[in-house]
Amino acid sequence: GTTAMVSPTSHYTPPKARIWISYTGTNADDVATGTVTIRCVETGENFVLAITANTIARPTAAVVLALDKSNSMNFISGLAAPLDHRIDVLRLSAPPFVEVLQENNAIGIVSFDHDAYPVMEIAPAGAPSPFDGTRVAAKAAIASHTPNPLGNTAIGDAVELAHAKLQAETGYDVKAMIVLTDGHETASRYIADVADEIIGAHVFAIGLGTADQIQPAALTQLTNGTGGYLLLTGQINEDNLFLLSKYYLQILAGVTNEDIVLDPEGRLKPGQRHRIPFRLNEADISSDVILLASAPELFKFVLETPNGDLIDPTIASVLPGISHVVGNNISFYRMTLPVPIGDTGASAGQWHAVLTMDERYYKRHLARLDNYPKLYQSTLAHGVRYSLNVHAYSNLRMRASLAQNSYEPGATLTLRVVITEYGLPVARRAAVRAELKRPDDTTTVLALTEVEPGIFETTVSASQAGIYHFIVRANGATLRGQPFTREQIVTGAVWRGGDQPPPTTSNDPRERDQRLCRLLTCLLSQGNISPELENRLRQLGINLEGVRKCLKAYCASSSSRANTPTTSAGPEILSLFRPEVIAELQRFLCEP
């Protein structure tokens, strides 16, 4: 029943009009039909156009977080108090993932040291809210996550348990796990032991530490083999306070088929106003505009539409299709496009996130920092840190990946980016660059070449040991000429000894120790040693019962060494025997 009139502009140039049809989805697989009539007033002609719309359900995901609780999570993080330990950084960074998780998606949690432990069973999330039971339980589990002072690192155990939890779930389109670890494998089961068992689940991993600490060869092979990927933080410092949160949110975006539009950081002081531009386009279906901050209540956070209309939390609470949520370390707007505001609504175009400081909360915040003088001085001098993340659920997709031919210094890293719109390559309509940060903190900008329609590549020689951190940025135009931007972070790593075979149960020194202990215990048992041999050894000055006690004590101590890998016990045990005793044993044991 809506009519729009387009008047002629001149006698020589036909007028042009775009008629936008919006359809509100109903139930999955529903189909609706209708018509649009175009009437030429001068001639009286009517042109009836048939339209058809169908509702497609947004894919749902079940995700299990696997959190490292080995002793090294108690180590210094590189940040100032109150985030001076790695466990503190985890507790700051993981809750935003829980807050942003889409309604009807599910989350579960396991933890691991030298074993894996169920923490929270997989449960669907309701609408984003501080009172949603699933989110409350997940945030409580993260807040109470405590490292084990005697804990080792058995990543394979964590992957195995998370996979078992996911396999038991039905009704989800995507199943994924996110493994966070701050160390390399030091206990079985190992990744290599379980890699072949992972079916139907994407494995993503976050390494909280340096390449030498993580030694991620097996983890990289596992994640890439399942359609996931690995991200490494390197040394955490004040310059990358929100990096771990960004990693979690980027993985969540990938799992739920979203793209990152942009991802800037900044500091805000009282009296300042930051107006951060970002572009949405007609291929974007919905968007999350996410503010990461350790104290989000300090910020007055408003959206400005392309037409200049302002959306604050109060307006968002009454408009259909948009909501505002404040949670642990996060504040965000979630909106379906177009947003029904102003005369024409708001969708494609240049938006702005507008940030100002709420000075009442700022004074209280400074008072809370009295016990943290370094953070107090930094906040007073430079302002409160924040990170803005804009995600879009879109028909315009960018996926970046990194391949490397070795994990040793000198390896070649190949960065590949694929951009599509409605499943078709974005051919000759985009430019892609990558900001590269090398292990020595030097930086450069790489221009990627469009090697095929919509496919961009470049290569880098990784001559230094450490982590190579790429921020991939694309900009271009949609099929209808609207500008777009996309971002994604990828990481690679090389270290000395990186190409050595990853550990498995069969080549674990501790496992070899235990097998050797069992063998020697068996060989020296009274059932296998005759009284005659014991007498001959006693005549040589060897008390076999004393040797058995020594072996028992050594094997008991070997099995309890959980914090550091051990070397083979064979030379140590054999050193208990003089050469003539070993020869006598060999003669006796090898007689027919």
Side-chain angles (χ1 to χ4, degrees):
T2 301
T3 300
M5 180 77 73
V6 179
S7 301
T9 55
S10 74
H11 294 291
Y12 305 103
T13 304
K16 294 181 180 179
R18 283 195 174 94
I19 299 177
W20 297 90
I21 307 298
S22 63
Y23 170 66
T24 301
T26 53
N27 297 313
D29 302 322
D30 282 356
V31 177
T33 60
T35 61
V36 175
T37 300
I38 309 297
R39 175 177 174 81
C40 178
V41 177
E42 290 83 355
T43 65
E45 292 175 282
N46 290 328
F47 305 89
V48 180
L49 308 179
I51 57 172
T52 302
N54 62 307
T55 301
I56 300 173
R58 180 167 180 158
T60 57
V63 184
V64 173
L65 304 183
L67 305 179
D68 193 339
K69 59 179 292 182
S70 62
N71 180 50
S72 53
M73 288 296 291
N74 280 318
F75 291 179
I76 297 299
S77 68
L79 295 172
L83 300 172
D84 44 345
H85 294 87
R86 295 178 185 176
I87 185 62
D88 302 318
V89 178
L90 170 62
R91 291 171 182 158
L92 170 77
S93 304
F97 177 97
V98 179
E99 305 281 12
V100 176
L101 186 71
Q102 286 277 349
E103 184 177 358
N104 298 322
N105 290 340
I107 185 171
I109 299 176
V110 302
S111 65
F112 67 99
D113 45 31
H114 43 270
D115 288 308
Y117 315 94
V119 176
M120 173 183 161
E121 295 300 318
I122 297 173
S129 163
F131 309 107
D132 176 55
T134 296
R135 300 177 202 272
V136 169
K139 289 184 290 184
I142 293 167
S144 62
H145 183 70
T146 304
N148 174 9
L150 299 177
N152 211 336
T153 305
I155 301 175
D157 276 356
V159 171
E160 182 180 43
L161 178 59
H163 182 251
K165 298 289 186 184
L166 289 168
Q167 286 290 88
E169 294 296 318
T170 59
Y172 295 97
D173 301 291
V174 179
K175 297 179 181 180
M177 70 182 79
I178 306 174
V179 181
L180 178 128
T181 182
D182 73 333
H184 62 276
E185 302 177 276
T186 55
S188 63
R189 296 185 79 189
Y190 294 97
I191 293 171
D193 296 331
V194 304
D196 292 340
E197 302 171 9
I198 307 306
I199 300 171
H202 302 291
V203 182
F204 298 85
I206 300 174
L208 179 58
T210 65
D212 286 336
Q213 291 167 341
I214 308 298
Q215 297 185 10
L219 206 50
T220 301
Q221 293 167 8
L222 172 65
T223 55
N224 290 351
T226 63
Y229 54 79
L230 167 70
L231 293 170
L232 298 165
T233 65
Q235 187 63 49
I236 294 289
N237 55 48
E238 296 294 337
D239 293 332
N240 54 17
L241 172 64
F242 298 107
L243 187 60
L244 189 57
S245 289
K246 289 182 180 183
Y247 283 1
Y248 271 118
L249 292 180
Q250 176 176 301
I251 292 171
L252 177 61
V255 169
T256 57
N257 289 338
E258 291 192 340
D259 279 72
I260 299 173
V261 177
L262 89 167
D263 181 16
E265 293 189 11
R267 286 179 176 268
L268 186 69
K269 299 175 69 174
Q272 293 181 334
R273 181 174 182 265
H274 289 187
R275 189 165 173 265
I276 304 165
F278 62 93
R279 286 195 169 273
L280 300 177
N281 62 76
E282 76 281 357
D284 297 334
I285 300 165
S286 63
S287 179
D288 292 340
V289 186
I290 303 164
L291 178 68
L292 294 173
S294 57
E297 69 275 6
L298 297 177
F299 295 85
K300 293 181 178 178
F301 177 22
V302 175
L303 297 183
E304 182 182 322
T305 73
N307 292 328
D309 296 305
L310 297 180
I311 303 173
D312 62 17
T314 301
I315 293 175
S317 68
V318 297
L319 284 178
I322 184 169
S323 60
H324 176 258
V325 179
V326 178
N328 288 22
N329 312 320
I330 191 171
S331 171
F332 68 95
Y333 289 90
R334 172 161 291 163
M335 54 188 178
T336 300
L337 302 173
V339 177
I341 190 171
D343 294 334
T344 58
S347 54
Q350 182 163 284
W351 292 65
H352 290 84
V354 183
L355 303 176
T356 55
M357 184 66 68
D358 190 322
E359 297 195 26
R360 297 169 302 168
Y361 288 106
Y362 178 72
K363 292 177 182 178
R364 299 176 195 172
H365 181 67
L366 285 181
R368 290 197 297 266
L369 298 182
D370 285 342
N371 294 328
Y372 309 108
K374 185 175 180 180
L375 183 57
Y376 177 91
Q377 292 299 330
S378 174
T379 301
L380 198 62
H382 306 292
V384 180
R385 298 199 60 162
Y386 69 85
S387 174
L388 186 77
N389 294 251
V390 181
H391 293 186
Y393 180 52
S394 180
N395 289 301
L396 196 149
R397 311 292 309 279
M398 183 186 85
R399 288 295 175 265
S401 60
L402 190 72
Q404 50 190 99
N405 63 354
S406 169
Y407 297 101
E408 298 270 5
T412 297
L413 310 183
T414 301
L415 180 62
R416 179 181 174 92
V417 176
V418 179
I419 307 177
T420 59
E421 185 177 2
Y422 296 100
L424 301 175
V426 175
R428 298 178 298 281
R429 288 188 282 117
V432 182
R433 294 179 179 274
E435 296 179 9
L436 167 61
K437 184 178 180 181
R438 304 183 186 91
D440 62 359
D441 289 337
T442 60
T443 61
T444 189
V445 177
L446 308 170
L448 278 69
T449 302
E450 189 169 2
V451 294
E452 296 179 34
I455 301 176
F456 303 79
E457 288 187 355
T458 191
T459 59
V460 175
S461 176
S463 57
Q464 306 170 32
I467 296 173
Y468 290 75
H469 185 271
F470 299 83
I471 302 177
V472 180
R473 293 190 170 97
N475 61 81
T478 66
L479 287 166
R480 291 177 177 169
Q482 284 283 345
F484 73 82
T485 61
R486 291 291 184 265
E487 289 192 14
Q488 187 179 332
I489 298 172
V490 295
T491 61
V494 295
W495 65 98
R496 303 194 193 295
D499 287 342
Q500 293 179 0
T504 65
T505 299
S506 62
N507 65 21
D508 178 9
R510 283 181 301 275
E511 293 290 335
R512 291 198 303 269
D513 281 1
Q514 293 305 308
R515 290 198 303 272
L516 183 58
C517 281
R518 289 191 293 270
L519 172 63
L520 291 176
T521 300
C522 178
L523 291 176
L524 295 175
S525 67
Q526 291 179 337
N528 290 324
I529 300 294
S530 69
E532 293 83 4
L533 177 59
E534 290 208 39
N535 289 332
R536 289 163 66 179
L537 291 175
R538 192 174 294 109
Q539 293 170 7
L540 291 170
I542 293 295
N543 180 350
L544 198 56
E545 190 59 36
V547 171
R548 292 186 183 114
K549 290 181 180 179
C550 290
L551 178 62
K552 182 178 180 180
Y554 180 90
C555 291
S557 65
S558 176
S559 64
S560 66
R561 295 174 195 169
N563 289 326
T564 55
T566 62
T567 56
S568 174
E572 298 181 48
I573 293 176
L574 292 178
S575 67
L576 297 171
F577 300 93
R578 296 200 304 271
E580 59 268 29
V581 175
I582 295 174
E584 187 70 21
L585 278 169
Q586 288 174 334
R587 281 195 298 273
F588 183 85
L589 293 172
C590 293
E591 287 175 358

